[in-house]
Amino acid sequence: MLIFSVFKTLTDQQVTVELKNDLSITGVLKSVDQFLNIRLDSIKVLDEARHPHMMAVKNCFIRGSVVRYVQLPSEHVDTQLLEDATRRESLAAVKR
Amino acid sequence: MSFFGFQENNLEEERQRIRDGGSHENEDVAVYTWGEESYDGLGDALQEGGDDFNDETFGGAGNVGKDFDFAGQASLLEPGLTHQKAANHALPSPAQSRLDPSPAHPIEQQSIWDDRSPFSALPRENGGASRFAERGERREPSTSQFSPFPESPVLHQPNASQTGARTLQDIEAEMRAAALQSRGASQRQQNALRIQQEEEQFLQDQAYQRQRLAFQREREQERELQLQALQRLQQQQVMQLREQPQHQRTPPPRMLPVSQSPRFLDQRQMMLLQQQQEEQQHQLRLQQELQEQLRMEELERQLRAQQISQLNQGPTHFNHRRQPSGPTIAELQALQQQQLHRRQRSQSPAYQDFNNIAPQNVQLQQRLLAELAQVEYMRDFQGATQAEQDALRAEAMRKIVEAEKMEDKRRKKAAKIAHMSRYNDLMTQSDKDFITRIQVSQLVTPDPYADDFYAQVYGAILRSRMGLQTQDERVLKFGTGGGISLGNTQKAATRRPNAMQRMEQQVERIVSNARRREEEKGLHSLHSLQGALGKTSGRSYKAAPRQLLQVDDNPSTSPTLAHAHPHISKEDATAWSSEGAAKEAAKLSRETLGNTGNVVRKDPLTHRQVLTTLEALYDLVLKVEHLRREQPQPEEEDASRQWQKEYDDLIELLWEGLKVMVPLETSNPHPFVSLLSPSKGKKLLPRLTRHIGSARMLTLMTLLVACFTQLDVVRQAPLLDVLEETAERAEVERQTQAFLGSVLQSILPIVANLELHVVTALLGLLIDRSQDIAAVAKTKPGLALLTLFLSRVEVIKQAWGTGAEPVDLMTAGAALEQQAVFDQFFVLITPHFLSLFPSSRITLQAHHPTSAALAIDIIDQPVWQFLAALALQAVPEQHQVLVTSLRDKVLENVLSANKGWVADEDERRTKLANVNLFLHALGLDSSQIAL
């Protein structure tokens, strides 16, 4: 739930999603759900020459399981808070 | 050449054989006997299709024109020809025999006319028995060289002349050939023919129209009535359609071919109904169009009829032309044009009829257009009703156009709705509820706040930063703490509130259901729904991700074990070496000094211990912060007391965890200093200060000052005096920034409230505890701390000066004491004035970029600030010392600024600002310096 929570705060921010098929899509994060499925808007693929079929695509829905990395905009992530959140989560995990 | 699949070589032989009167015993072809007396009449029983256009195609229709017959000879043949056609084929007509110079051929003639193949028109090469004629088709190919169509009748004409005296058949053949030729080959002739035809048809048409003219007015009236009725009907239908829900033609792609649900059947019925209605609409529209078209055609016809009648009646109407209200020629032409377009677009059946009578032709139309110019002459023919009709027509047109527009709009809208609602009602309400239940049950947690901690706090921080004081709940809570986090509800505001309410109710129901099930099933309620939406591999989202950091719970003290952990990052590894060195030093001091008093000497904390201690502290801080958020109302005394106790306990734990009260000499570095070495230790301090009381904070600060030289940022400060970018330097830089930003910031408010004697004591402590105060002053944190103390002293003294604080014996003593300490400090620092400047310590080399100079000037700034603070405290003799030792530095800066030995304006300004910072404290300014 932590990452879900983090992504929720990043809606309407520019993120880059790296997929497991080596496609890197930059776009505005519109929504994310608990499976970390991602909906991006006004997308742009990193290497357009290699993926010409993606040029016409303007928005997309990405199934969470095909995501390798998500590059977050650092200015919109509170690192200290993120640390705290992980601490809380690990605390909760220990409690269980 | 076997054009028709016949065997060529046989043909000649066969012919020869037949000519020789050969028998047809071994005839392999069926023998047909049309037109003969022996003809059994079976051919009439044949049903042949597709012959409708034969006449048009092969030119059987109409009279054969005479324009080919330039010599006028054909007229001689005409009676015979027509007669022949009309006559019984079996009998030779008298005309025929009269014209025919060779009466030996009657039978042959008959057979030729009997033969219906187009080849029969071709001249015979030779006379023959009736058999020949009967098998004309078989014989013909060989004689006419297999040309199935008479595209080259010229070829045959010599044949006719060869015979010398021309028989009737020959002449007829010639005629036909000419006719064919005129149709097939010569375009000019064809055009001429067609024009002729058209003229004929036009005449016919005129007659037809004259008839129609009589009915016309009647029909016009009728039509108006009809139109009105139609419009009414249409409006009704439109209304009906509006009332009805829009279910669509395109059925939703159901996976099941036949749904058992009655709802689906309903839908089917609805759809059928819809379809019917659409069809009705369509038909209605067609009707309308047809009507309109008919009307237009009628108009045209009328015009033409007028024209004709005018022509018939002669130019008697010329005198009263031009009615003012009537349409002009241009209008009529426009109308005509419009009509033409319409006609091209679509042709109503009625109009097609009309066209058949008068085939559409550009020439004709042009002629019509030209004739239309005369139309105005016959306006009076129609009389006064024309205007009326015009008005009515215009009205009707307007209505029709309007209705069409509306209809178009409606259709578009309906289509859009249809497209959008294609998937409507694909799921039943219970389906939807089921999905929602599962989705929500995944989201419902016993502690929504904790599970959505990041988003909640981030949102809170963001809101507070933006100054928004929205206190609406970000978490839906149910009963005893279960709930669902809403995260950023910025979007929820735009959603309809009743939707939110509905969801709330639903969630509430779901949660209560889940809870009931939990009671029934024990602890595994959540797992009861697992796999309900399909199997997922192994772990659910709930299962924590596999832990990659295997941090041991019971911290080991063995350094070898600690070393063995590979997960410790590189930056920590550099700390390790220094840690080790510190340990060595501590050991050494222990050996030399031995245990003094009851202080138990210990090894300094290992890096691992530091980290685990810090994590424990962070956990405590989180708990404390969480507790603070849940502070009960002061009215609830029991709860308040309980809470206060819990809170105090946690604070106590925190305080102990910080190890501030551990005796100074326990280790070097002191455990507290060790805790401050990682950046997260430094960052922890500001979060603690609001929970720890100021008395404790003073203790903490005293400890910090006492152990100042042990701090990593102080010890490793010399690394910053190089310009080369290395990982170590970057790390030190980062730590220094963290220290300045976190630790010093958190002690700043405490210093700002200190009494003079305390400041003096702290300054004295700093001087005592650090072997080399100058070395401390050369570090950024040290310089910052000293500046902090000095400025505090200055503030206190100013307050005395203005009388804001009463000067009594106590404070006077403190001031004396402070002066003594300051004097000591001044003496200690004096030899190092120049080396305080990073610019003096850093040797700028040629390969450094010019921006480095500016950077150095910027890092010089705190030093100038410190010197200014020093100058404010100093007595005049000390000023003397200050100025003499710093004279060179000041001059150098001013000189380079004024002489333009600087890279840019920024650097110059920075240099001057720095110098002025110091000079102003002495009551001087850089502009006073004469060079």
Side-chain angles (χ1 to χ4, degrees):
Chain A
M1 286 301 256
L2 169 65
I3 302 300
F4 173 42
S5 190
V6 173
F7 278 145
K8 270 203 281 190
T9 66
L10 290 171
T11 46
D12 294 329
Q13 306 295 345
Q14 189 97 1
V15 296
T16 301
V17 181
E18 293 180 33
L19 305 187
K20 287 177 181 170
N21 65 356
D22 290 338
L23 199 63
S24 285
I25 305 170
T26 306
V28 177
L29 183 72
K30 290 322 279 184
S31 71
V32 69
D33 66 9
Q34 75 254 42
F35 305 108
L36 302 184
N37 298 329
I38 291 170
R39 204 158 63 79
L40 290 183
D41 215 345
S42 55
I43 63 163
K44 207 165 169 58
V45 170
L46 187 67
D47 191 358
E48 278 205 313
R50 259 187 70 204
H51 310 284
H53 60 287
M54 293 297 287
M55 282 206 299
V57 184
K58 287 287 157 260
N59 49 43
C60 63
F61 177 87
I62 301 168
R63 192 188 150 97
S65 65
V66 301
V67 174
R68 184 178 287 145
Y69 297 117
V70 179
Q71 296 174 13
L72 310 176
S74 60
E75 67 272 18
H76 293 293
V77 178
D78 188 333
T79 339
Q80 214 181 332
L81 186 59
L82 195 55
E83 284 173 7
D84 281 0
T86 51
R87 283 183 190 114
R88 287 188 75 107
E89 187 144 286
S90 77
L91 259 185
V94 166
K95 240 189 267 172
R96 271 176 206 147
Chain B
M1 199 173 179
S2 59
F3 195 84
F4 288 115
F6 299 135
Q7 285 182 324
E8 193 188 10
N9 50 350
N10 287 348
L11 278 172
E12 281 302 321
E13 289 168 24
E14 183 92 6
R15 193 163 55 146
Q16 195 55 48
R17 197 164 54 81
I18 292 164
R19 216 174 269 168
D20 296 346
S23 64
H24 45 271
E25 287 93 76
N26 32 3
E27 191 100 63
D28 55 348
V29 189
V31 177
Y32 297 104
T33 55
W34 297 297
E36 276 183 331
E37 271 147 351
S38 60
Y39 176 47
D40 52 13
L42 281 175
D44 294 334
L46 279 175
Q47 282 194 333
E48 285 182 293
D51 290 344
D52 306 38
F53 295 101
N54 276 359
D55 284 353
E56 244 175 62
T57 314
F58 299 109
N63 296 327
V64 178
K66 288 181 188 160
D67 45 353
F68 60 89
D69 186 14
F70 297 106
Q73 286 173 337
S75 59
L76 296 173
L77 302 166
E78 191 95 344
L81 193 96
T82 44
H83 183 84
Q84 183 108 27
K85 267 187 179 173
N88 190 331
H89 299 299
L91 298 167
S93 74
Q96 233 176 339
S97 42
R98 200 186 340 123
L99 278 166
D100 198 84
S102 55
H105 294 294
I107 302 163
E108 196 190 320
Q109 282 164 17
Q110 286 166 15
S111 60
I112 286 167
W113 284 109
D114 288 343
D115 196 339
R116 289 175 192 185
S117 93
F119 304 112
S120 60
L122 295 170
R124 298 289 155 141
E125 173 186 42
N126 213 341
S130 62
R131 280 278 172 234
F132 291 2
E134 281 161 25
R135 280 185 243 132
E137 260 177 286
R138 259 188 79 183
R139 211 183 50 138
E140 218 64 39
S142 63
T143 55
S144 66
Q145 294 169 0
F146 300 105
S147 72
F149 299 105
E151 73 267 70
S152 55
V154 195
L155 204 77
H156 303 284
Q157 273 167 357
N159 283 357
S161 57
Q162 270 169 16
T163 53
R166 297 201 306 175
T167 61
L168 181 61
Q169 288 93 332
D170 290 338
I171 292 161
E172 276 175 13
E174 253 177 45
M175 266 173 59
R176 282 181 184 232
L180 280 168
Q181 190 185 24
S182 72
R183 190 168 296 115
S186 158
Q187 184 63 41
R188 199 179 51 78
Q189 256 183 335
Q190 201 179 19
N191 277 350
L193 252 175
R194 190 174 298 174
I195 288 162
Q196 199 182 15
Q197 250 178 356
E198 277 161 11
E199 268 163 0
E200 271 169 14
Q201 276 155 359
F202 190 54
L203 283 169
Q204 281 176 7
D205 197 20
Q206 280 173 359
Y208 169 67
Q209 272 169 359
R210 247 175 257 125
Q211 282 181 346
R212 290 195 70 152
L213 201 62
F215 301 116
Q216 190 177 337
R217 235 165 271 172
E218 260 181 85
R219 287 186 58 183
E220 201 87 54
Q221 303 290 337
E222 249 176 52
R223 191 158 301 129
E224 288 299 331
L225 284 171
Q226 227 173 342
L227 263 174
Q228 278 166 9
L230 272 170
Q231 275 168 358
R232 264 203 307 278
L233 188 68
Q234 194 189 21
Q235 272 166 1
Q236 273 175 6
Q237 234 154 354
V238 168
M239 292 297 281
Q240 260 180 328
L241 279 170
R242 272 201 204 117
E243 280 160 25
Q244 283 203 325
Q246 302 290 329
H247 284 282
Q248 282 332 304
R249 272 184 281 186
T250 37
R254 257 322 260 218
M255 275 188 242
L256 299 169
V258 177
S259 170
Q260 309 300 322
S261 88
R263 203 178 41 74
F264 186 71
L265 287 174
D266 271 8
Q267 206 179 343
R268 281 279 297 275
Q269 276 175 349
M270 286 295 265
M271 267 166 14
L272 275 171
L273 216 112
Q274 199 76 29
Q275 237 167 321
Q276 277 174 359
Q277 237 161 10
E278 298 253 355
E279 266 163 38
Q280 272 177 11
Q281 284 272 313
H282 188 64
Q283 276 176 351
L284 199 71
R285 239 157 26 88
L286 271 179
Q287 244 175 318
Q288 269 181 357
E289 276 172 10
L290 202 78
Q291 292 239 328
E292 204 184 340
Q293 216 156 11
L294 267 170
R295 224 165 40 73
M296 294 304 283
E297 285 154 18
E298 198 69 39
L299 185 67
E300 203 187 5
R301 278 191 209 117
Q302 189 183 330
L303 286 174
R304 250 200 263 177
Q306 284 171 357
Q307 201 178 324
I308 290 149
S309 57
Q310 184 258 332
L311 284 171
N312 289 345
Q313 290 182 7
T316 46
H317 297 281
F318 275 137
N319 40 6
H320 36 199
R321 6 191 329 177
R322 296 214 181 272
Q323 284 184 341
S325 65
T328 64
I329 301 172
E331 276 173 30
L332 282 162
Q333 275 179 347
L335 196 70
Q336 182 82 5
Q337 207 70 39
Q338 195 189 346
Q339 177 98 27
L340 287 177
H341 282 303
R342 189 181 297 276
R343 203 185 293 161
Q344 279 157 13
R345 258 201 336 260
S346 67
Q347 293 187 342
S348 74
Y351 196 77
Q352 272 165 356
D353 281 355
F354 182 70
N355 268 358
N356 284 345
I357 298 161
Q360 200 167 330
N361 184 291
V362 181
Q363 251 181 323
L364 173 67
Q365 278 170 1
Q366 277 171 349
R367 208 170 55 198
L368 282 173
L369 271 173
E371 280 165 2
L372 263 172
Q374 303 173 327
V375 148
E376 55 190 305
Y377 299 148
M378 52 188 111
R379 188 74 24 71
D380 49 347
F381 188 73
Q382 282 291 312
T385 51
Q386 180 78 44
E388 266 174 47
Q389 280 182 355
D390 276 354
L392 270 170
R393 199 177 299 137
E395 176 81 355
M397 280 288 279
R398 200 176 48 76
K399 275 182 184 169
I400 288 164
V401 167
E402 252 172 46
E404 265 179 4
K405 262 187 200 163
M406 288 292 286
E407 174 73 356
D408 208 43
K409 243 184 188 173
R410 193 200 62 78
R411 284 181 73 83
K412 266 183 197 163
K413 203 173 161 188
K416 201 173 172 185
I417 291 169
H419 186 73
M420 288 194 301
S421 64
R422 272 169 73 199
Y423 302 101
N424 272 4
D425 294 333
L426 207 61
M427 291 165 77
T428 62
Q429 192 53 43
S430 67
D431 285 346
K432 285 177 196 162
D433 285 350
F434 182 66
I435 302 286
T436 319
R437 203 157 55 231
I438 287 164
Q439 281 180 333
V440 173
S441 73
Q442 298 264 302
L443 289 167
V444 170
T445 61
D447 187 359
Y449 188 85
D451 271 10
D452 199 26
F453 176 78
Y454 182 88
Q456 298 290 332
V457 177
Y458 188 84
I461 290 171
L462 213 65
R463 280 195 300 279
S464 72
R465 206 178 292 162
M466 283 169 8
L468 292 171
Q469 289 302 317
T470 47
Q471 287 303 315
D472 53 330
E473 275 286 295
R474 305 276 145 175
V475 172
L476 284 177
K477 281 206 167 190
F478 308 108
T480 53
I484 184 169
S485 60
L486 297 178
N488 283 358
T489 37
Q490 287 154 345
K491 274 179 194 132
T494 61
R495 222 177 274 163
R496 282 166 299 147
N498 62 339
M500 283 303 289
Q501 259 175 7
R502 264 214 317 273
M503 190 183 131
E504 225 166 301
Q505 286 166 1
Q506 206 170 22
V507 169
E508 218 155 345
R509 204 174 64 230
I510 289 160
V511 169
S512 58
N513 283 349
R515 197 158 290 143
R516 211 181 309 130
R517 212 168 298 139
E518 196 168 354
E519 282 161 13
E520 287 166 10
K521 285 196 176 180
L523 285 168
H524 298 283
S525 72
L526 268 173
H527 298 282
S528 65
L529 282 171
Q530 200 145 23
L533 283 179
K535 213 173 175 185
T536 51
S537 61
R539 57 184 67 233
S540 80
Y541 83 100
K542 281 272 181 198
R546 195 160 58 89
Q547 280 191 328
L548 294 174
L549 290 177
Q550 304 287 338
V551 182
D552 210 343
D553 279 339
N554 43 335
S556 111
T557 44
S558 155
T560 50
L561 202 77
H563 272 295
H565 284 282
H567 70 265
I568 288 169
S569 64
K570 207 174 85 183
E571 79 176 58
D572 293 335
T574 59
W576 264 109
S577 54
S578 58
E579 205 80 27
K583 200 162 58 191
E584 284 300 305
K587 219 175 264 177
L588 207 71
S589 67
R590 188 171 43 192
E591 281 164 14
T592 49
L593 294 172
N595 286 354
T596 49
N598 52 1
V599 177
V600 182
R601 290 221 157 239
K602 281 181 188 166
D603 283 339
L605 294 176
T606 63
H607 191 63
R608 188 182 158 73
Q609 280 173 315
V610 169
L611 289 177
T612 49
T613 312
L614 278 176
E615 279 309 314
L617 282 174
Y618 263 112
D619 285 347
L620 280 173
V621 169
L622 285 175
K623 271 183 200 161
V624 170
E625 283 173 354
H626 184 64
L627 210 60
R628 270 200 101 127
R629 271 193 294 268
E630 290 186 346
Q631 185 167 7
Q633 298 296 311
E635 298 93 64
E636 308 164 35
E637 279 189 22
D638 269 2
S640 277
R641 219 175 296 127
Q642 177 88 21
W643 179 85
Q644 193 61 45
K645 191 183 173 300
E646 214 174 315
Y647 184 74
D648 289 345
D649 285 352
L650 281 175
I651 298 296
E652 203 58 41
L653 275 173
L654 257 183
W655 183 243
E656 274 172 32
L658 279 173
K659 302 186 196 296
V660 172
M661 298 314 282
V662 175
L664 266 180
E665 303 302 330
T666 305
S667 63
N668 186 6
H670 189 269
F672 175 67
V673 173
S674 293
L675 288 180
L676 284 183
S677 58
S679 65
K680 69 167 141 179
K682 293 184 179 78
K683 282 172 184 163
L684 177 65
L685 212 57
R687 295 178 70 176
L688 288 171
T689 48
R690 71 177 100 148
H691 305 297
I692 297 172
S694 59
R696 276 175 169 174
M697 276 308 289
L698 187 57
T699 317
L700 188 148
M701 199 179 67
T702 313
L703 179 69
L704 191 70
V705 169
C707 302
F708 204 75
T709 48
Q710 296 174 355
L711 284 167
D712 58 332
V713 283
V714 176
R715 275 186 285 121
Q716 290 166 6
L719 272 173
L720 290 175
D721 292 339
V722 288
L723 279 176
E724 275 71 24
E725 282 296 330
T726 57
E728 289 83 18
R729 189 185 182 280
E731 173 61 18
V732 173
E733 182 79 49
R734 197 169 70 89
Q735 295 288 353
T736 306
Q737 286 305 320
F739 186 85
L740 292 175
S742 299
V743 180
L744 275 185
Q745 284 300 311
S746 57
I747 63 169
L748 192 70
I750 296 149
V751 173
N753 288 319
L754 285 181
E755 294 288 318
L756 181 62
H757 64 97
V758 184
V759 180
T760 311
L762 284 172
L763 188 60
L765 183 67
L766 187 62
I767 295 164
D768 282 350
R769 287 287 302 175
S770 45
Q771 288 83 5
D772 183 4
I773 186 68
V776 171
K778 280 175 194 173
T779 67
K780 263 193 205 172
L783 205 63
L785 190 70
L786 285 170
T787 314
L788 201 64
F789 285 156
L790 289 178
S791 41
R792 174 63 195 158
V793 170
E794 181 57 28
V795 168
I796 292 168
K797 281 190 174 171
Q798 271 178 3
W800 287 348
T802 55
E805 279 181 45
V807 184
D808 54 21
L809 225 68
M810 253 287 274
T811 50
L816 278 177
E817 199 184 327
Q818 192 272 335
Q819 197 56 53
V821 173
F822 179 77
D823 287 347
Q824 186 198 356
F825 172 66
F826 194 84
V827 169
L828 281 172
I829 204 104
T830 304
H832 303 286
F833 275 144
L834 273 181
S835 63
L836 288 181
F837 292 98
S839 57
S840 308
R841 299 197 299 266
I842 297 168
T843 47
L844 200 60
Q845 279 158 21
H847 67 271
H848 288 135
T850 48
S851 61
L854 178 64
I856 290 166
D857 280 325
I858 288 168
I859 57 172
D860 264 357
Q861 197 180 2
V863 182
W864 290 109
Q865 241 164 10
F866 165 73
L867 288 173
L870 204 67
L872 285 173
Q873 295 284 307
V875 292
E877 301 86 61
Q878 286 166 338
H879 279 167
Q880 200 89 44
V881 180
L882 260 176
V883 170
T884 39
S885 30
L886 289 173
R887 193 172 177 277
D888 286 350
K889 190 76 184 167
V890 170
L891 279 180
E892 180 198 317
N893 269 359
V894 173
L895 209 65
S896 59
N898 287 350
K899 297 272 176 177
W901 298 339
V902 286
D904 54 13
E905 183 62 24
D906 271 355
E907 194 184 340
R908 196 184 73 86
R909 216 182 296 128
T910 314
K911 274 187 194 296
L912 279 182
N914 281 347
V915 173
N916 277 336
L917 209 61
F918 169 65
L919 290 179
H920 286 170
L922 293 171
L924 300 169
D925 193 88
S926 61
S927 55
Q928 296 170 327
I929 296 171
L931 297 166

